[in-house]
Amino acid sequence: MVQKIEKKERMKIQRAQMPEQAPEERVRNFNEVPHGLTEEQALSEAQRCLECKKAPCIDGCPVEVDIPAFINLILEKDYAAAARKIKETNSLPAVCGRVCPQEEQCEIKCVLAKKFKPVAIGHLERFVADYERENDLVQIPAVAPPTGKKVAIVGSGPAGLTVAGDLVKLGHEITIFEALHKPGGVLVYGIPEFRLPKNIVQAECDAMRDTGVTFENSTIVGKMDTIDELFEQGYDAVFIGTGAGLPNFMGIEGEQLIGIYSANEYLTRSNLMRAFDEEGYDTPIIRGTNVAVLGGGNTAMDAVRTSKRLGADHSYIVYRRSEAEMPARAEEIHHAMDEGIEFHMLTTPIKFIGDEEGRVKQMECLKMELGPPDDSGRRRPVPIEGSNFIMDVDLVVVAIGNSSNPLIQSTTPGLETNRWGNITVNPETMQTSRPGVYAGGDIVTGGATVILAAGAGKKAARAIHQYLTNGAKPE
Ligand SMILES: Cc1cc2nc3c(=O)[nH]c(=O)nc-3n(C[C@H](O)[C@H](O)[C@H](O)COP(=O)(O)OP(=O)(O)OC[C@H]3O[C@@H](n4cnc5c(N)ncnc54)[C@H](O)[C@@H]3O)c2cc1C
Ligand code: SF4
């Protein structure tokens, strides 16, 4: 146990800086960029917490992790107990400690943030989760006696994994159907290794398998079995966590040229199919010398930083608004800038130009200026007439957002959706318009965050359990 010091003294402690690979070194590999806090740093950082009675940081966390309680367990040097404390409400702390936008959630609410830097809650979360996993302290949870009820989960992203983890403990028989050959959703096919090592997601899935969850990979529900057929096969409830995996395109001339990828395809080739690992895998991928990534979100940052690591001389972000409106995490934007990514702000392509073999060679762009705010609350980009210019590019990655995959909706009669094709649910229970069918994560909200998907999974698991123990079976 660390001797606690006076609150006034705690405020003088500097926020711990996570050690990381230097930019010139990391652009040549796919290893994780930040190394994680050392134990000494974690203890020093934990000392900064003022153990506020009302703890506003908890209100900032979408799943209300008891932040001061887990930080206090760090000071007791019981790191595995700290990890378990987080897991009471968040099943994926090693993932969330790496990818959650804490700067907009818990940390922005930390009282220290008013005068100093907030407690590095995300860094501490990652520290305890890594400690627990690396020291083999992850406990397989106790499982209640079998209830005889079967639940099918469609999609193995953070939403589906959370539902599975919660329901298997309650004694239900759980099968996850996943379209891809590996479980994890965006955590595996979208977010690159240098931000979220895949062995971490694999460890979460392995732990679930050990608890009794069955994974049916390479199974597309809606193409093979429909939701109704799953009920006919004896499932008592279904959770749909199929995410928002349908890429949006610009819809401009030349978009079919060779060398123009959706971010989904580009990142899936690199991450899931490991095209970056030339020695171990022969997955084809266009590497590109002058690479333009269109967009300003996390996906765009992941794609552009991947292109640099795949050997591009110039990797550009082309974004129609300014840096202030970029939806990507501040940390990712800074990491990208440090790695030499060139930012073309207030710029939008209007046409792709190909060579005689049908490969993209140039992009005609327009400069923009910011007008009044639009529906999203961000200032609307307005084209500047006559500002056209040409950029030389040999690879373009379109990262302007995703829509929901329509397969399940179109093969499940009576399943209501909104005008964007997202499944509509009761926000308290995540129940859809079909009895016994629940949904959560990006398929409901559109592209959002890992923690919101996991939080939706928690709510759905509670409601499904209630339904299975008290409710009627669907007709
Ligand atoms: C590149 C990228 C980077 C991101 N970075 C961050 C970040 O830093 N921080 C953050 O919080 N969020 C980030 N996000 C968003 C976050 O990853 C998502 O909000 C989250 O993964 C949504 O979880 P989900 O469970 O709803 O769906 P997903 O993770 O999308 O998983 C859905 C799964 O369902 C499967 N599936 C789809 N249809 C079927 C079917 N018919 N049958 C069987 N399986 C099916 C899919 O193959 C997929 O595996 C990022 C997203 C992307 C694309
Ligand atoms: S608000 Fe900040 S200082 Fe207060 S309990 Fe939360 S992390 Fe600690």
Side-chain angles (χ1 to χ4, degrees):
M1 164 106 184
V2 173
Q3 194 64 40
K4 287 194 185 164
I5 54 174
E6 285 292 310
K7 289 199 175 160
K8 257 202 304 202
E9 294 303 309
R10 294 188 204 178
M11 287 188 228
K12 292 186 190 155
I13 304 173
Q14 295 293 311
R15 179 176 156 120
Q17 200 68 35
M18 201 182 286
E20 61 183 32
Q21 283 195 72
E24 58 281 8
E25 178 196 335
R26 69 189 192 229
V27 291
R28 294 198 301 268
N29 66 59
F30 274 78
N31 300 337
E32 190 171 16
V33 170
H35 295 302
L37 297 181
T38 61
E39 181 176 7
E40 193 185 339
Q41 283 182 307
L43 288 170
S44 159
E45 188 60 30
Q47 283 272 24
R48 296 182 68 227
C49 176
L50 303 176
E51 298 169 89
C52 311
K53 279 222 168 64
K54 283 207 168 132
C57 53
I58 300 179
D59 300 333
C61 172
V63 294
E64 298 180 359
V65 166
D66 191 344
I67 293 164
F70 100 75
I71 294 181
N72 196 42
L73 285 162
I74 296 180
L75 290 176
E76 287 179 16
K77 294 195 176 182
D78 195 345
Y79 308 127
R84 285 198 298 275
K85 176 55 75 185
I86 301 173
K87 283 183 180 172
E88 285 174 11
T89 55
N90 174 7
S91 342
L92 302 168
V95 173
C96 290
R98 287 171 164 82
V99 305
C100 267
Q102 290 97 5
E103 65 281 5
E104 298 166 7
Q105 297 178 343
C106 50
E107 292 186 12
I108 201 173
K109 297 263 176 136
C110 172
V111 291
L112 279 182
K114 287 190 193 132
K115 271 194 153 177
F116 309 96
K117 288 191 173 156
V119 173
I121 300 167
H123 292 1
L124 291 175
E125 181 180 24
R126 170 182 163 161
F127 171 78
V128 296
D130 286 356
Y131 183 93
E132 187 196 34
R133 189 184 64 259
E134 286 162 7
N135 291 286
D136 282 332
L137 297 170
V138 177
Q139 293 175 353
I140 299 296
V143 172
T147 60
K149 302 286 183 187
K150 286 172 67 174
V151 182
I153 293 173
V154 189
S156 64
L161 288 177
T162 304
V163 179
D166 283 7
L167 287 182
V168 75
K169 283 187 269 188
L170 295 167
H172 305 302
E173 190 182 322
I174 308 297
T175 305
I176 301 187
F177 296 96
E178 168 53 53
L180 298 172
H181 66 277
K182 271 192 195 159
V186 171
L187 308 181
V188 167
Y189 80 75
I191 304 181
E193 183 78 18
F194 55 81
R195 256 195 335 120
L196 178 61
K198 301 307 151 222
N199 63 346
I200 290 172
V201 186
Q202 189 60 48
E204 296 292 348
C205 297
D206 288 348
M208 254 172 225
R209 211 173 266 120
D210 291 345
T211 319
V213 173
T214 303
F215 286 86
E216 294 280 357
N217 296 334
S218 308
T219 307
I220 305 175
V221 174
K223 263 220 163 93
M224 292 148 135
D225 292 319
T226 62
I227 300 286
D228 284 306
E229 282 163 349
L230 290 175
F231 281 113
E232 283 163 24
Q233 289 164 21
Y235 287 96
D236 299 283
V238 176
F239 174 79
I240 306 170
T242 44
L246 188 69
N248 297 339
F249 283 96
M250 300 284 298
I252 58 176
E253 192 181 327
E255 212 164 9
Q256 280 74 32
L257 288 166
I258 300 167
I260 303 182
Y261 282 127
S262 69
N264 252 24
E265 177 175 353
Y266 183 64
L267 289 170
T268 301
R269 280 175 187 271
S270 180
N271 299 330
L272 183 76
M273 298 160 80
R274 301 186 76 81
F276 72 85
D277 182 359
E278 279 183 296
E279 286 181 12
Y281 295 78
D282 57 5
T283 305
I285 194 164
I286 299 172
R287 287 173 178 255
T289 308
N290 297 312
V291 182
V293 175
L294 316 181
N298 285 322
T299 307
M301 294 308 134
D302 285 343
V304 81
R305 295 174 69 199
T306 295
S307 73
K308 197 80 185 167
R309 284 162 173 77
L310 288 175
D313 288 345
H314 296 281
S315 295
Y316 310 112
I317 280 287
V318 178
Y319 181 55
R320 62 194 184 129
R321 293 180 156 106
S322 72
E323 188 184 333
E325 290 81 29
M326 280 188 132
R329 290 189 66 191
E331 181 182 317
E332 303 318 322
I333 297 172
H334 291 135
H335 273 145
M337 286 177 170
D338 289 347
E339 288 167 14
I341 305 303
E342 298 159 59
F343 283 69
H344 287 267
M345 304 308 228
L346 292 165
T347 303
T348 197
I350 52 168
K351 182 176 160 188
F352 300 110
I353 302 160
D355 63 14
E356 46 298 333
E357 288 173 350
R359 288 172 202 280
V360 66
K361 64 168 189 179
Q362 287 176 323
M363 220 165 62
E364 183 179 347
C365 299
L366 265 186
K367 293 300 286 179
M368 314 291 272
E369 59 192 350
L370 292 177
D374 62 14
D375 293 348
S376 72
R378 295 175 301 167
R379 292 182 64 192
R380 183 193 300 274
V382 183
I384 303 175
E385 226 175 287
S387 62
N388 309 46
F389 70 100
I390 299 285
M391 277 179 80
D392 288 335
V393 289
D394 55 359
L395 174 63
V396 176
V397 181
V398 185
I400 56 167
N402 286 320
S403 303
S404 62
N405 186 330
L407 186 60
I408 300 267
Q409 296 87 311
S410 64
T411 54
T412 314
L415 190 66
E416 281 173 15
T417 56
N418 64 16
R419 64 187 163 123
W420 297 284
N422 298 325
I423 298 176
T424 45
V425 294
N426 171 336
E428 296 309 314
T429 61
M430 312 313 284
Q431 199 201 313
T432 68
S433 52
R434 288 278 309 263
V437 181
Y438 297 75
D442 283 4
I443 189 64
V444 167
T445 55
T449 60
V450 171
I451 195 65
L452 286 174
K458 284 250 162 234
K459 271 192 198 171
R462 269 196 300 273
I464 294 172
H465 179 60
Q466 181 81 8
Y467 170 76
L468 292 177
T469 43
N470 298 329
K473 232 181 128 172
E475 314 206 328

